[in-house]
Amino acid sequence: MSVVIFFQKRIYSGLPSYRLDYLIKHHGLEQFDHHHALSDAKAAADLFNQCISDSDFDSLEETIAHHDYRLGNLCSDNTYRPFSSTRKKKKVNAQSITTTNTEFDTDHPFLR
């Protein structure tokens, strides 16, 4: 289900919440028995289908690729590669972080 929530964040950015029950109401989908495993799974599938139908693409694969995701798949060596983001994560070198502030509260407990 978390895959659907991450996908929702990319397609419908700026919503006040990405909780499953909120997203179901937001999209006007059929209400469900929240925190019941089968009901949650069906609701997540409905949300995923809503994402695909709201997209401007002709296929699931195009939609997923456009939003920087990769479908999960079973590999030839019987391992599973899960659905995941293909965006590169930016690494920040902590030593490169500087401040423009020149005035510090020398009495602050963190500076003691």
Side-chain angles (χ1 to χ4, degrees):
M1 178 178 55
S2 62
V3 168
V4 174
I5 304 305
F6 290 125
F7 203 53
Q8 291 277 323
K9 287 181 179 181
R10 295 234 177 120
I11 293 178
Y12 307 108
S13 62
L15 293 178
S17 175
Y18 292 94
R19 292 178 33 189
L20 183 60
D21 57 340
Y22 176 84
L23 292 169
I24 290 294
K25 287 178 188 171
H26 174 79
H27 292 293
L29 299 173
E30 185 178 330
Q31 293 301 305
F32 66 111
D33 184 12
H34 196 32
H35 297 299
H36 180 271
L38 181 58
S39 184
D40 283 359
K42 288 178 179 179
D46 289 344
L47 280 172
F48 196 77
N49 289 332
Q50 185 71 44
C51 288
I52 301 306
S53 68
D54 285 350
S55 78
D56 295 329
F57 302 97
D58 295 328
S59 71
L60 169 66
E61 289 78 9
E62 286 180 67
T63 305
I64 288 173
H66 175 78
H67 292 286
D68 301 316
Y69 282 108
R70 177 187 65 219
L71 282 175
N73 66 338
L74 185 61
C75 303
S76 59
D77 62 355
N78 291 327
T79 58
Y80 178 72
R81 187 171 75 173
F83 183 96
S84 62
S85 174
T86 59
R87 288 186 179 172
K88 301 283 185 208
K89 294 183 178 149
K90 294 180 182 178
K91 293 182 181 180
V92 177
N93 180 349
Q95 293 177 342
S96 69
I97 299 172
T98 60
T99 181
T100 56
N101 189 3
T102 58
E103 296 178 25
F104 298 96
D105 177 4
T106 56
D107 292 329
H108 194 281
F110 287 158
L111 295 179
R112 291 184 185 169

